Amino acid sequence: MPFQLTPMDLHMTELERDIIREILNIGLARAADSFAVIAQEKVLLEVPNLDIVSGKSVLEKVGDLQASHVVIQSDIRGDFNGTTLMFFSGQHVQRLSRVCLRMNTSDSVQIDEMQESLLLEISNIITGALVTQLANILKAHIYGAPPAHPHGDMAAALRSLLVDRPMVQPLIFSVVTQFSDKENSVELPLMIFFDRDTFEKILEIIRTYDFMGGHQAGS
């Protein structure tokens, strides 16, 4: 189910929302090709919805997801400042462990070192492709830091960032994964947090860019 999230005071038009979603989808299409090599099957990754949410709402969502998912975190650095969180469900862990590691496991989020390394690599591929696509299209110098598997309460760790610093605007979207057998589509939640300055930079670039002509308006 798509997230039901509350818009904030930093608004996007529907066109701007569609443009950002399309940029993300292009990046995910490239990520899916690399992911498919690991999964040894055709993989579909796409962004069905895109929302800006309040700090309180995202803390509740992170808390709910962490209870039933493995969390992988990666920071975005350079011209843009942000953090990505990927949430792998027990179904993801079970499927990927069987296909990639030849391990028959339950759909548990209690993972061993090999499974952790696999999820870190998949997260690195997916978030790396997204960051590269954002950098290419928005003409920004950004890169993704190596992913990590954080332990402890993620919601508590994010509280100071989102509640005590309300200028941070989380940009949230869901990624739907589908394997080639088409029997199962399992949502793979992916959250991106940008500070307000970064998000305003992205919107300004989009608003001044002539996408048909391939250059910034007025240049």
Side-chain angles (χ1 to χ4, degrees):
M1 293 290 293
F3 293 152
Q4 300 297 320
L5 299 170
T6 305
M8 295 192 69
D9 58 345
L10 188 57
H11 294 293
M12 290 184 291
T13 66
E14 285 302 313
L15 176 60
E16 290 161 353
R17 190 185 303 270
D18 289 344
I19 289 171
I20 293 177
R21 185 168 56 239
E22 186 57 30
I23 291 171
L24 295 170
N25 275 326
I26 292 170
L28 285 168
R30 296 180 182 178
D33 291 338
S34 299
F35 190 5
V37 173
I38 295 177
Q40 300 175 21
E41 294 187 31
K42 182 180 178 182
V43 175
L44 171 69
L45 298 175
E46 62 180 4
V47 181
N49 62 297
L50 180 68
D51 292 288
I52 306 174
V53 303
S54 69
K56 183 178 179 181
S57 295
V58 77
L59 288 175
E60 293 173 353
K61 177 60 68 174
V62 168
D64 290 344
L65 287 171
Q66 190 178 20
S68 57
H69 292 71
V70 179
V71 185
I72 304 294
Q73 177 180 357
S74 181
D75 291 337
I76 299 171
R77 299 172 182 167
D79 293 341
F80 299 165
N81 294 311
T83 294
T84 67
L85 296 179
M86 294 191 70
F87 298 86
F88 293 89
S89 68
Q91 289 175 285
H92 277 109
V93 173
Q94 182 183 46
R95 177 68 178 257
L96 293 168
S97 296
R98 183 172 70 249
V99 171
C100 304
L101 302 175
R102 303 296 188 265
M103 293 172 57
N104 289 318
T105 65
S106 66
D107 57 351
S108 170
V109 293
Q110 301 301 315
I111 59 174
D112 63 19
E113 188 173 337
M114 288 183 63
Q115 291 171 311
E116 181 183 66
S117 295
L118 173 63
L119 298 187
L120 288 170
E121 179 59 23
I122 291 171
S123 178
N124 192 44
I125 289 170
I126 294 175
T127 58
L130 280 174
V131 168
T132 298
Q133 192 61 38
L134 283 173
N136 290 341
I137 293 180
L138 300 176
K139 310 301 182 187
H141 174 65
I142 54 176
Y143 59 95
H149 176 205
H151 298 276
D153 186 353
M154 284 300 301
L158 291 170
R159 189 175 304 278
S160 63
L161 177 68
L162 299 176
V163 178
D164 298 342
R165 295 175 55 200
M167 298 301 283
V168 174
Q169 305 281 331
L171 175 62
I172 311 299
F173 58 96
S174 306
V175 177
V176 174
T177 67
Q178 181 174 290
F179 292 91
S180 59
D181 61 15
K182 294 184 173 59
E183 292 178 1
N184 242 342
S185 290
V186 184
E187 188 172 283
L188 174 60
L190 172 55
M191 297 186 178
I192 293 187
F193 303 81
F194 285 128
D195 62 26
R196 189 185 180 100
D197 288 345
T198 293
F199 194 65
E200 287 180 339
K201 284 180 188 177
I202 293 173
L203 286 177
E204 183 176 358
I205 291 169
I206 290 173
R207 289 165 180 168
T208 60
Y209 200 85
D210 174 10
F211 287 92
M212 298 299 291
H215 59 272
Q216 282 191 297
S219 62

